[in-house]
Amino acid sequence: MSDTKPKQHLAHAICDFLSASIKNGTIKDDDIEGMEVAIQCIGEAFGFDYSNEALAAELSVKPATLATIFDAFINTQTKTGSSAKKESPEVAKEKAEALKAAGNKLMASHQYKDAIKKYSEAIAIDSSNATYYSNRAAAYSQDGDHAKAVEDAKQAIEVDPDFSKAYSRMGHAYFCLGNYGDAIEVYERGLRLDPSNQSIKQSLSAAKERLREGEADSASTSTRGTNGSGDYVGGMDLSSMLSNPSFMSAASQLMSNPAVSSLLSSPAISQMAQNLMANPEQLQNIMGNSDIARMAASVAGGPPLGRGE
């Protein structure tokens, strides 16, 4: 049929869109296999092999993509004066560049929402320019909307997979969202494209440091305040105490004192020890007991502890 080729172009563009969505992380890992099967089925239904590079060159609509074509269509629908004279591509490109420049000036003056509008207008004119999406991603991040920044960075990468700045924008957005693992992965992809980029290197180092700090805090939280598995019991650092030679020497001398044997044989002390084993947090309350303080002083040969002068 005469309309077979246009349909193949459209079907191939759909396959391109699904393939790009797999590569830029839009498709979750659990769904990748299903998408790959869908790509194969579309190719078979419309009579082409998507893995055939020669045929891909014939059917591809690049540098445009299905997403950018659709984006341009949606923006066109919102415009008024559809009967106006059509602009030449050169004039349209100049207008889009002027809108981008206006957006950059607004960014410099911290007017982020207005900058977003200018970049959006530029995209409506030329949706095949990755820089416009990347700049809008930066504006979204500066305005605090990091989730939208991630989406725009992904769109920029779909338009130009070799645009390293888009990976930097996405990594920054993930970093600000606290997704340090995703930020590291994206920064590393950007460095593979631009190995000498110092900004991405520094950002990658910062993301790795934050991830390490988070893991260290998690490990510390899981061990502190426990009895037996952690170093802190009753607010005291038992590990440091037991590794202190002065403390161990004093403890040895104390245990050889005859008065200690008498003290340990006291029913009250025995009950106190059992309570302490059951609830280590009682240690501070015990240390504040005046009777215990007097007994400890009689063993040590000094006055009971009190407030300093």
Side-chain angles (χ1 to χ4, degrees):
M1 295 178 62
S2 59
D3 61 346
T4 299
K5 278 292 183 183
K7 290 180 179 179
Q8 284 184 327
H9 281 296
L10 176 58
H12 198 276
I14 293 172
C15 291
D16 279 339
F17 172 73
L18 295 178
S19 179
S21 297
I22 292 172
K23 292 176 181 177
N24 66 26
T26 300
I27 304 298
K28 296 179 181 178
D29 290 344
D30 292 343
D31 299 326
I32 289 177
E33 185 177 352
M35 287 298 100
E36 291 174 342
V37 172
I39 291 171
Q40 184 178 357
C41 290
I42 291 171
E44 291 177 356
F46 286 87
F48 63 84
D49 180 3
Y50 184 70
S51 63
N52 187 321
E53 295 183 2
L55 188 60
E58 180 183 344
L59 296 178
S60 177
V61 296
K62 291 181 178 180
T65 67
L66 185 64
T68 58
I69 293 171
F70 185 74
D71 195 12
F73 171 75
I74 293 298
N75 283 291
T76 301
Q77 292 295 98
T78 63
K79 290 182 178 180
T80 58
S82 58
S83 60
K85 187 184 294 184
K86 186 177 180 181
E87 294 176 333
S88 68
E90 292 77 13
V91 172
K93 195 169 190 177
E94 288 177 5
K95 184 177 289 187
E97 283 295 306
L99 287 166
K100 183 196 77 171
N104 291 347
K105 288 182 180 180
L106 290 166
M107 284 285 286
S109 60
H110 310 293
Q111 300 178 61
Y112 305 123
K113 283 182 168 55
D114 290 334
I116 290 169
K117 291 179 182 178
K118 292 298 180 183
Y119 294 138
S120 297
E121 291 176 23
I123 290 170
I125 295 173
D126 183 5
S127 59
S128 64
N129 192 315
T131 301
Y132 301 160
Y133 289 103
S134 178
N135 285 11
R136 192 170 69 175
Y140 274 129
S141 274
Q142 291 291 346
D143 197 43
D145 196 341
H146 303 297
K148 284 188 177 179
V150 169
E151 291 306 312
D152 262 359
K154 287 181 178 180
Q155 189 65 58
I157 292 169
E158 182 174 336
V159 173
D160 184 359
D162 296 329
F163 188 37
S164 62
K165 185 170 285 188
Y167 292 94
S168 178
R169 304 288 197 212
M170 193 192 304
H172 174 75
Y174 275 135
F175 185 95
C176 293
L177 289 169
N179 298 341
Y180 304 121
D182 290 334
I184 290 170
E185 180 183 349
V186 171
Y187 283 138
E188 287 177 340
R189 289 165 63 189
L191 274 181
R192 285 196 290 271
L193 294 171
D194 188 3
S196 62
N197 191 309
Q198 292 300 317
S199 176
I200 296 181
K201 286 181 180 180
Q202 293 172 3
S203 298
L204 174 61
S205 178
K208 287 181 176 179
E209 180 63 24
R210 285 294 184 90
L211 187 62
R212 282 194 296 268
E213 288 175 358
E215 291 172 348
D217 289 343
S218 177
S220 176
T221 301
S222 67
T223 58
R224 287 185 176 231
T226 62
N227 182 15
S229 61
D231 293 333
Y232 290 79
V233 178
M236 301 179 69
D237 188 350
L238 296 184
S239 178
S240 296
M241 290 171 62
L242 294 176
S243 61
N244 188 320
S246 298
F247 174 80
M248 296 303 294
S249 177
S252 179
Q253 293 178 15
L254 185 63
M255 294 304 295
S256 65
N257 190 321
V260 174
S261 298
S262 175
L263 183 65
L264 294 178
S265 65
S266 167
I269 294 298
S270 178
Q271 182 62 45
M272 178 192 69
Q274 293 180 15
N275 292 340
L276 182 59
M277 291 177 66
N279 185 5
E281 298 301 326
Q282 290 187 6
L283 181 59
Q284 292 188 11
N285 295 332
I286 292 171
M287 295 304 292
N289 187 298
S290 59
D291 293 333
I292 298 299
R294 281 194 294 273
M295 284 192 288
S298 68
V299 172
L305 297 175
R307 291 184 298 177
E309 296 182 0

